[in-house]
């Protein structure tokens, strides 16, 4: 079921999404080598709560933290731990959600820590570029496949692969709503975008092959070949005249 939002509802949603944006900016300024991922998670929880919102990953289908922190070959859903220390040279995905006034916001960034190889930096840049390529020129009446196909073309054009097992998603009163927003597919295919659709567009891309597996903790998703992976996500709203990014 796809829930279309009114402009007033999107105004309310913007509040949750701006808190998510500000939380990621706070993390970007503070994250560094030597900090544990549990500490980053604590910053996130405290910051979101200080803004009067709830960190909606916490308790979502039993997820035990406020943040997903995914280092190097972890694609997404890395669980913060007091035993996991961030190190120079890593790329660290930070994915988080906040809810306030009944609506969710969802966004992710991948942060390079200190001096990082060009190989990893280029991968991180490609995830961000893929997001912008995906939404470029998109408006109501276009199709989901127009976004998916554009993302896939950019990513594969640079020699990377697009994760197949996970997708973006609708978002609103629920963190995950229909439709699924794959990062691979064909332009001109899939359902039509309509005004008031709010979706999280989130390329997850690998330096090596696209295959992934989930660890025994039930959450941590890794690349099967242990090549590095990067993630970039924003919540957006679809209108007749284009896409409005709610988390920038
Ligand atoms: N922010 C994630 C997403 O993009 C949600 C992760 S699942 C959770 O869908 F359990 F960690 F919340
Ligand atoms: Co998401």
């Amino acid at each position: 079921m796809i829930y279309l939002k009114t402009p007033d509802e999107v105004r309310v949603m913007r509040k949750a999404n701006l808190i998510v944006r500000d939380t990621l900016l706070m993390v970007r300024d503070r994250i560094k080598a030597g900090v544990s991922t549990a500490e980053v998670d604590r910053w996130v929880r405290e910051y979101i709560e200080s803004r009067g919102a709830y960190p909606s990953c916490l308790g979502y289908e039993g997820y035990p933290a406020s943040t997903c922190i995914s280092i190097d070959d972890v694609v997404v859903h890395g669980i913060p731990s007091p035993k996991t220390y961030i190190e120079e040279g890593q790329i660290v995905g930070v994915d988080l959600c906040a809810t306030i006034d009944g609506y969710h916001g969802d966004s992710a960034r991948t942060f390079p820590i200190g001096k990082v190889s060009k190989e990893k930096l280029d991968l991180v840049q490609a995830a961000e570029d893929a997001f912008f390529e995906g939404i470029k020129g998109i408006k109501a009446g276009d199709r989901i496949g127009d976004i998916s196909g554009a993302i896939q073309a950019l990513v594969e054009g640079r020699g990377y692969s697009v994760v197949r097992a996970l997708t973006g998603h609708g978002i609103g009163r629920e963190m995950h709503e229909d439709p699924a927003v794959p990062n691979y597919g064909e332009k001109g295919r899939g359902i039509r975008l309509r005004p008031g659709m709010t979706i999280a567009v989130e390329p997850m891309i690998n330096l090596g092959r696209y295959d992934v597996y989930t660890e025994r903790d039930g959450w941590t998703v890794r690349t099967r070949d242990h090549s590095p992976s990067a993630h970039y996500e924003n919540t957006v709203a679809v209108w007749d005249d284009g896409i409005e990014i709610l988390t920038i």
Side-chain angles (χ1 to χ4, degrees), residues 56-63 65 67-68 77 95-97 106-108 167 169 175-176 200 202 219 231 233:
S56 25
C57 286
L58 185 62
Y60 179 83
E61 292 183 5
Y63 187 73
T67 320
C68 299
H77 303 168
D95 185 0
L96 54 96
C97 297
D106 185 1
S107 180
T167 68
H169 49 91
M175 191 198 300
H176 292 148
E202 48 178 321
W219 288 101
H231 183 201
E233 172 179 29

Side-chain angles (χ1 to χ4, degrees), residues 224-243:
R224 195 163 283 288
D225 61 10
H226 296 290
S227 66
S229 184
H231 183 201
Y232 184 93
E233 172 179 29
N234 286 305
T235 298
V236 308
V238 178
W239 302 114
D240 281 322
D241 56 357
I243 290 275

Side-chain angles (χ1 to χ4, degrees), residues 3-52:
Y3 298 97
L4 299 177
K5 284 79 179 178
T6 64
D8 277 339
E9 281 181 285
V10 175
R11 261 189 286 283
V12 178
M13 267 186 85
R14 203 175 288 133
K15 198 166 151 185
N17 280 284
L18 290 180
I19 293 170
V20 169
R21 175 198 68 181
D22 292 347
T23 309
L24 284 168
L25 291 173
M26 178 276 294
V27 171
R28 185 191 67 185
D29 287 346
R30 292 174 73 180
I31 196 167
K32 60 178 197 300
V35 166
S36 76
T37 54
E39 188 170 344
V40 175
D41 188 67
R42 186 172 55 77
W43 301 341
V44 166
R45 183 176 182 172
E46 287 176 2
Y47 183 79
I48 291 174
E49 287 176 350
S50 80
R51 295 282 297 264

Side-chain angles (χ1 to χ4, degrees), residues 183-201:
N183 296 304
Y184 60 94
E186 274 174 65
K187 291 183 186 178
R189 305 290 279 267
I191 61 154
R192 263 187 216 284
L193 299 165
R194 293 171 60 194
M197 276 178 72
T198 48
I199 55 178
V201 179

Side-chain angles (χ1 to χ4, degrees), residues 51-233:
R51 295 282 297 264
Y54 181 77
S56 25
C57 286
L58 185 62
Y60 179 83
E61 292 183 5
Y63 187 73
S66 302
T67 320
C68 299
I69 305 183
S70 305
I71 298 175
D72 287 344
D73 68 331
V74 179
V75 179
V76 287
H77 303 168
I79 302 175
S81 160
K83 291 188 204 137
T84 305
Y85 287 89
I86 291 166
E87 293 170 16
E88 169 127 6
Q90 292 177 333
I91 53 172
V92 180
V94 177
D95 185 0
L96 54 96
C97 297
T99 178
I100 191 166
D101 300 339
Y103 290 91
H104 293 268
D106 185 1
S107 180
R109 297 287 180 267
T110 299
F111 300 116
I113 306 298
K115 210 169 139 36
V116 169
S117 69
K118 181 169 185 320
E119 196 179 50
K120 285 186 188 175
L121 280 181
D122 288 348
L123 181 74
V124 169
Q125 186 63 48
E128 178 174 339
D129 292 348
F131 167 84
F132 286 100
E133 189 68 17
I135 63 160
K136 195 167 79 187
I138 296 289
K139 53 189 175 342
D142 294 334
R143 293 178 183 274
I144 288 281
D146 297 333
I147 298 176
S148 310
I151 290 173
Q152 182 178 13
L154 182 135
V155 172
E156 293 182 354
R158 293 193 192 176
Y160 306 124
S161 63
V162 165
V163 173
R164 304 285 203 272
L166 298 144
T167 68
H169 49 91
I171 179 168
R173 287 196 169 276
E174 303 290 338
M175 191 198 300
H176 292 148
E177 298 181 353
D178 289 335
V181 184
N183 296 304
Y184 60 94
E186 274 174 65
K187 291 183 186 178
R189 305 290 279 267
I191 61 154
R192 263 187 216 284
L193 299 165
R194 293 171 60 194
M197 276 178 72
T198 48
I199 55 178
V201 179
E202 48 178 321
M204 290 158 265
I205 72 170
N206 300 346
L207 187 68
R209 296 185 54 85
Y210 64 69
D211 311 75
V212 300
Y213 68 97
T214 304
E215 281 188 3
R216 295 227 301 254
D217 63 16
W219 288 101
T220 311
V221 178
R222 277 187 203 269
T223 57
R224 195 163 283 288
D225 61 10
H226 296 290
S227 66
S229 184
H231 183 201
Y232 184 93
E233 172 179 29

